[in-house]
Amino acid sequence: VQLQASGGGLVQPGESLILSCAASGFTLDYNAVGWFRQAPGKEREGISCINRARSGTKYYADSVKGRFTISRDSAKNTVYLQMDSLKPEDTAVYYCATDFEGGYVPAVTSTECDVDFNYWGQGTQVTVSS
């Protein structure tokens, strides 16, 4: 069972990146998935999550709402985070996580992401700088 985040890089302000969270050993459609980030000297921030595929509800933190889009590709067993209009303050290590065999049913709405994130991928660095 493995969860792998990828797609980070160095971009200029206003540009876009797509992060991928690929699962192996289990079916990601049956689980909620979240994206988090942590900048140097700051606490980890939950920025987006998507419910199980049969629900598909999504949550975005205010800091990324309108700029980031979370989505699934069931065939590729992958969740994506499309990041547009990137800002220097988006610079951080980005992580994905899921509730594989989690302790409770996930609750994801436009204002809430209550998920038992118990399985984490490694981080991918995103740097936004001119």
Side-chain angles (χ1 to χ4, degrees), residues 18-36:
I18 301 176
L19 303 184
S20 300
C21 179
S24 58
F26 68 104
T27 302
L28 206 51
D29 275 0
Y30 299 149
N31 302 99
V33 177
W35 282 99
F36 299 78

Side-chain angles (χ1 to χ4, degrees), residues 8 10 23 37-38 57 59 61 73 81 109:
L10 171 63
R37 65 186 181 187
Q38 188 164 22
T57 51
Y59 163 85
D73 186 330
L81 186 68
T109 70

Side-chain angles (χ1 to χ4, degrees), residues 5-130:
S6 62
L10 171 63
V11 296
Q12 295 188 346
E15 293 186 339
S16 299
L17 272 177
I18 301 176
L19 303 184
S20 300
C21 179
S24 58
F26 68 104
T27 302
L28 206 51
D29 275 0
Y30 299 149
N31 302 99
V33 177
W35 282 99
F36 299 78
R37 65 186 181 187
Q38 188 164 22
K42 294 189 177 182
E43 292 189 354
R44 187 177 66 197
E45 176 189 14
I47 57 174
S48 182
C49 64
I50 186 168
N51 208 337
R52 299 169 178 173
R54 65 180 180 180
S55 169
T57 51
K58 302 175 183 179
Y59 163 85
Y60 298 98
D62 288 343
S63 57
V64 304
K65 197 173 294 182
R67 300 188 298 123
F68 291 9
T69 303
I70 192 169
S71 63
R72 289 182 180 274
D73 186 330
S74 299
K76 295 184 178 180
N77 209 26
T78 298
V79 167
Y80 299 100
L81 186 68
Q82 171 75 46
M83 305 188 297
D84 298 321
S85 303
L86 282 162
K87 306 175 182 179
E89 50 264 43
D90 294 319
T91 295
V93 178
Y94 284 69
Y95 301 87
C96 63
T98 189
D99 62 344
F100 178 67
E101 297 184 346
Y104 53 86
V105 175
V108 179
T109 70
S110 62
T111 58
E112 176 189 39
C113 177
D114 183 8
V115 179
D116 182 18
F117 289 114
N118 61 358
Y119 216 85
W120 293 76
Q122 89 294 353
T124 185
Q125 176 71 47
V126 173
T127 303
V128 185
S129 175
S130 55

